């Protein structure tokens, strides 16, 4: 390296006086959050699983923290970073960072035209205001898979709030997968929006956060973000 203007790839191995230099911690990493994991690094008042049980001690010492959160009963992409300013930029509404979700819903067949109008034009009224989303795709779940999802939902709802058991027991099969994108990230917003469109959410999975895609990252595993995903 001749000077500070020299640029190197993120995976470059550096040496000084014949000895390798420890690599810099990653700026951004992806995590496939499982269902029923709290989006907290520690949880002293509960026996529920939390993110701190998955993140390595090495990353904890470097100050790696989650960018936002995912609901306890949701799964999918959750980003971790060491940069507080990056976290603020990714989460602040003024930057309009898109987040894509796949929601498995009940409520019978989906009227695409009506749902598009509700989500994209009129907006959906919830207890926290009126929110909009972009409808990306709709796919009917096979009857066999729908029955399996209902069985799992009923098992998970036992001992939980009456509302959860009511949703699980009243599922109309087959279920439908709705893929949509939102820019806000308010508490349970996607679930509330779709429920108010008469399609209660059974499963919710975040597929992407900005340009970072979940892809085939295994559940409960971390994966590096490449340069194109970091420089955005």
């Amino acid at each position: 390296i001749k000077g500070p203007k020299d640029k190197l790839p993120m995976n470059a191995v550096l040496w000084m006086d014949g000895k390798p230099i420890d690599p810099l911690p990653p700026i951004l990493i992806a995590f496939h959050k499982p269902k029923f994991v709290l989006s907290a690094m520690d949880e002293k008042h509960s026996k529920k699983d939390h993110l701190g049980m998955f993140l390595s001690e090495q990353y904890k010492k470097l100050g790696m923290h989650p960018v936002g959160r995912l609901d306890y009963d949701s799964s999918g992409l959750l980003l971790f970073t060491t940069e507080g300013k990056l976290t603020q930029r990714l989460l602040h509404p003024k930057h309009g960072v898109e987040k894509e979700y796949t929601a498995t819903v009940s409520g019978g067949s989906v009227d695409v035209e009506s749902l598009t109008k509700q989500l994209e034009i009129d907006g959906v009224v919830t207890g926290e205001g009126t929110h909009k989303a972009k409808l990306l795709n709709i796919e009917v779940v096979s009857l066999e898979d729908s029955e399996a999802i209902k069985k799992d939902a009923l098992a998970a709802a036992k001992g939980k709030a009456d509302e959860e058991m009511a949703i699980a027991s009243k599922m109309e099969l087959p279920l439908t997968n709705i893929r949509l994108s939102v820019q806000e990230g308010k508490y349970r917003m996607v679930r509330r929006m779709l429920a108010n469109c008469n399609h209660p959410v059974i499963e919710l999975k975040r597929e992407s956060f900005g340009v970072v895609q979940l892809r085939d990252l295994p559940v409960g595993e971390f994966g590096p973000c490449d340069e194109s995903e970091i420089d955005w």
Side-chain angles (χ1 to χ4, degrees):
I1 301 174
K2 297 180 180 179
K5 293 184 179 181
D6 289 349
K7 294 183 178 181
L8 299 171
M10 294 291 291
N11 60 352
V13 179
L14 303 181
W15 297 69
M16 179 179 288
D17 298 330
K19 297 180 181 179
I21 300 174
D22 291 338
L24 292 172
I27 297 174
L28 197 67
I29 57 175
F31 175 60
H32 190 160
K33 176 190 167 302
K35 285 182 64 177
F36 308 124
V37 172
L38 292 169
S39 291
M41 292 303 296
D42 192 11
E43 185 54 53
K44 297 178 180 179
H45 306 293
S46 171
K47 295 182 179 180
K48 294 178 179 179
D49 290 348
H50 55 79
L51 298 177
M53 300 171 66
F54 294 85
L55 192 67
S56 69
E57 289 300 321
Q58 176 191 6
Y59 282 161
K60 289 179 185 177
K61 291 178 181 178
L62 293 170
M64 191 71 75
H65 60 268
V67 178
R69 63 187 303 282
L70 274 176
D71 296 333
Y72 175 69
D73 51 353
S74 297
S75 65
L77 179 63
L78 188 61
L79 299 179
F80 279 74
T81 183
T82 55
E83 298 288 333
K85 289 183 178 179
L86 177 59
T87 299
Q88 293 176 10
R89 180 162 65 86
L90 295 178
L91 294 179
H92 200 289
K94 73 177 182 181
H95 297 298
V97 177
E98 297 276 352
K99 294 168 279 288
E100 290 186 12
Y101 295 85
T102 295
T104 303
V105 304
S106 181
S109 61
V110 176
D111 184 326
V112 178
E113 184 177 349
S114 175
L115 184 59
T116 300
K117 183 175 182 295
Q118 285 179 287
L119 293 177
E120 299 186 9
I121 301 174
D122 299 337
V124 183
V125 178
T126 73
E128 295 191 352
T130 301
H131 307 291
K132 291 185 178 182
K134 184 177 181 180
L135 184 60
L136 303 175
N137 188 50
I138 291 178
E139 181 181 13
V140 177
V141 180
S142 71
L143 186 58
E144 181 180 359
D145 288 344
S146 295
E147 289 173 343
I149 292 171
K150 180 174 183 178
K151 182 179 179 181
D152 290 344
L154 286 169
K158 286 184 178 179
K160 302 287 182 65
D162 292 340
E163 180 185 358
E164 293 184 39
M165 179 57 77
I167 291 174
S169 61
K170 293 180 180 179
M171 283 187 205
E172 295 181 52
L173 305 184
L175 303 175
T176 304
N177 282 335
I178 296 177
R179 185 149 178 157
L180 71 167
S181 66
V182 297
Q183 293 184 352
E184 294 183 83
K186 293 185 177 179
Y187 178 65
R188 299 184 78 80
M189 187 182 79
V190 173
R191 291 178 181 272
R192 290 174 177 176
M193 290 175 68
L194 290 172
N196 290 354
C197 293
N198 298 315
H199 290 292
V201 174
I202 311 304
E203 303 270 356
L204 186 64
K205 180 180 180 182
R206 184 190 284 164
E207 303 285 357
S208 69
F209 194 126
V211 300
V212 183
Q213 302 285 328
L214 182 62
R215 298 192 182 92
D216 56 356
L217 183 64
V219 177
E221 296 291 331
F222 289 86
C225 295
D226 61 34
E227 290 184 58
S228 65
E229 293 174 323
I230 293 173
D231 187 22
W232 56 300

